[in-house]
Amino acid sequence: MKKNFLFISLLFSAVSMAQVGIGVQSPVEKLEVAGSMSVGQSVTIDPTAYVNNASGFTILGTDPLSSTVGGEVLAVETLYTPLIVQPYSISNIYRDDLNDVNLNIPTDKYFITIANFEAIPASGNNGLYSQIQNPDSNTNRGHFTIRVFESGQNWHVNIGYPTLDTQNTTDRYTYNFDIIIYSKRFYKNLGTINVDFNGSNNASATAPPSGI
């Protein structure tokens, strides 16, 4: 019994005062294991970083910028969640063209898409779809162009109705839309697939996307 007690005391002393290596001769972390490790029941994270409610999901991943041996496993915080939905309301737009709005979302960390677009004319405007601006007899009704593009270090948005001939210079519009923000930590950009139709109406990609 005394030998067991002495062994346990030495083990706790080593854990509290130095690095412990299992299969590692010179560990640099408090606990460093070479090879696979099996856990019998559960592993918990720092309780101060855990949110105990329905929206407090926690994702574990490795930090590609970590200098820790083998890569640091960390809890992914709000900044790096796989999907973020940010609603925007751009009001008092002159006529109908939103030429360029800088979202200040960095292109090196995220890529984005637009959803739930809505165009609302100000009070007193004829509107984009009124009988005056677009009568039923007019077959050239036009369409909205909605585009996200990179400029500088950030994502930008361009929205407009290029075929609309707005004569009233006092017209104003509000554009509501959602920006879907994807963290590049969780999504791989495989590059552009170019398909040449050669003047036809049907074609097929030369190969499926690489890496899927």
Side-chain angles (χ1 to χ4, degrees), residues 43-64:
V43 175
T44 60
I45 63 173
D46 183 349
T48 61
Y50 180 71
V51 180
N52 187 19
N53 59 48
S55 63
F57 67 92
T58 299
I59 299 174
L60 295 180
T62 57
D63 184 356

Side-chain angles (χ1 to χ4, degrees), residues 8-9 11 17 21 36 52 65 74 83 94 97 119 123 173 198:
I8 293 173
S9 297
L11 177 60
M17 297 180 63
S36 301
N52 187 19
L65 302 179
L74 73 164
L83 191 67
Y94 175 62
D97 289 327
S123 178
Y173 290 88
N198 290 313

Side-chain angles (χ1 to χ4, degrees), residues 184-198:
K184 288 187 175 181
R185 285 174 175 252
F186 299 95
Y187 293 87
K188 180 185 293 184
N189 185 352
L190 299 177
T192 302
I193 295 179
N194 297 305
V195 181
D196 187 353
F197 270 49
N198 290 313

